[in-house]
């Protein structure tokens, strides 16, 4: 099932319109600035995978059915999927010269050796992808062309971007990139942005031990609306200097 979701944006849209009228920036400028803030915060709060859990997931312990539940369930060997918990370390059937088969209980199972190699390779790859869910939101910003890939390596949207996230952003697989879509639309004076993230891992819930990208986006989005309302109460919008202090992303777009 694709991890698409919609949010109630009426309050946010009203804030965008008001900011445009107050600051003199176009609606498109305001939305792009807010997208920067939202995606930056989403990246920051999306959870990085737990290294210990990954190591545990791909570390085989126990024999066959005694393997702990934390171990990955299936492994691909020679193009075929095998159940990890059904592969035993010892025990091999071998054909004798007379054509009969004999079971050797103490011989190392060749399939076990291949499984261990496969698990080692998968663990190495999984560890190299730590932080990938975070990187997908930076990739989304790049698709919208609101992140300067040459000048904004360490900071974006008011938050710090870890070096490993930038590295992963440039190495996202074609399949994962295809699950992230953006669209800009203009109708008269109205400007809009559509962002679609169908990544299963990034959108997995925190409750299930996942990255929590979906909830991170919700919090970042509604957080910007609450931020606007708070600034109204503080009288920030009476001074352009104060506005740019509170909304530094407008300065970025104004350069």
């Amino acid at each position: 099932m694709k991890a698409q979701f919609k949010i109630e944006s009426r309050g946010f849209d009203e804030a965008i319109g008001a900011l445009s009228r107050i600051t003199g920036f176009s609606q498109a400028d305001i939305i792009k600035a807010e997208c920067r803030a939202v995606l930056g915060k989403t990246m920051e709060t999306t959870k990085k995978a737990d290294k210990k859990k990954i190591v545990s997931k791909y570390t085989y312990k126990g024999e066959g059915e005694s393997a702990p539940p934390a171990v990955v369930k299936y492994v691909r060997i020679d193009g075929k999927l095998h159940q990890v918990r059904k592969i035993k370390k010892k025990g091999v059937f071998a054909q004798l010269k007379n054509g009969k088969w004999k079971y050797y209980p103490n011989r190392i199972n060749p399939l076990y050796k291949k499984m261990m190699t496969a698990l080692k390779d998968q663990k190495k790859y999984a560890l190299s992808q730590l932080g990938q869910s975070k990187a997908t939101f930076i990739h989304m910003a790049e698709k919208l062309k609101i992140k300067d890939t040459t000048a904004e390596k360490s900071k974006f949207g008011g938050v710090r971007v870890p070096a490993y996230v930038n590295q992963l952003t440039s190495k996202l697989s074609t399949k994962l990139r295809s699950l992230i879509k953006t669209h800009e639309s203009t109708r008269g004076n109205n400007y809009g942005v559509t962002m679609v993230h169908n990544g299963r891992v990034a959108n997995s819930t925190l409750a299930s031990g996942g990255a929590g990208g979906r909830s991170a986006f919700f919090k970042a989005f509604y957080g910007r609306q609450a931020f606007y309302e708070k600034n109204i109460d503080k009288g920030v919008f009476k001074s352009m200097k104060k506005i740019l202090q509170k909304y530094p992303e407008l300065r970025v777009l104004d350069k």
Side-chain angles (χ1 to χ4, degrees), residues 23-153:
T23 63
F25 282 92
S26 70
Q27 190 181 62
D29 286 336
I30 299 293
I31 290 177
K32 287 179 180 179
E34 289 300 287
C35 282
R36 289 171 61 87
V38 168
L39 290 175
K41 192 64 178 177
T42 301
M43 179 282 301
E44 182 183 50
T45 54
T46 295
K47 188 178 178 182
K48 180 181 178 181
D50 189 323
K51 183 178 179 179
K52 289 183 178 180
K53 288 184 178 180
I54 288 179
V55 171
S56 177
K57 183 177 181 180
Y58 293 102
T59 300
Y60 183 86
K61 295 177 181 178
E63 291 264 332
E65 294 300 327
S66 298
V71 177
V72 65
K73 293 182 179 180
Y74 295 93
V75 64
R76 189 174 293 278
I77 301 173
D78 297 332
K80 295 182 180 180
L81 282 177
H82 294 268
Q83 264 189 284
V84 171
R85 292 166 68 84
K86 287 190 175 183
I87 298 176
K88 293 186 177 183
K89 182 176 182 179
K90 293 181 179 180
V92 178
F93 276 98
Q95 192 172 24
L96 304 176
K97 291 182 178 180
N98 60 11
K100 293 183 178 181
W101 289 85
K102 182 178 179 181
Y103 180 68
Y104 294 88
N106 294 319
R107 286 189 183 180
I108 300 298
N109 181 0
L111 191 60
Y112 170 82
K113 291 182 179 180
K114 290 184 177 182
M115 177 190 72
M116 294 301 287
T117 299
L119 287 175
K120 182 180 179 180
D121 291 342
Q122 287 182 26
K123 178 169 65 176
K124 182 179 179 180
Y125 176 76
L127 289 173
S128 74
Q129 299 303 299
L130 282 172
Q132 186 184 73
S133 293
K134 287 176 173 286
T136 57
F137 293 102
I138 295 300
H139 172 64
M140 186 173 279
E142 291 180 352
K143 283 180 69 69
L144 286 169
K145 297 180 180 178
I146 57 174
K147 182 180 188 294
D148 187 332
T149 55
T150 58
E152 297 182 302
K153 288 187 177 296

Side-chain angles (χ1 to χ4, degrees), residues 233-244:
D233 295 337
K234 288 187 173 182
V236 168
F237 299 111
K238 294 179 182 179
S239 163
M240 179 58 77
K241 181 179 179 180
K242 289 183 178 179
I243 290 172
L244 292 177

Side-chain angles (χ1 to χ4, degrees), residues 3-15:
Q4 292 184 349
F5 58 91
K6 293 183 179 180
I7 54 181
E8 172 52 54
S9 63
R10 186 180 304 170
F12 186 82
D13 293 341
E14 291 175 355

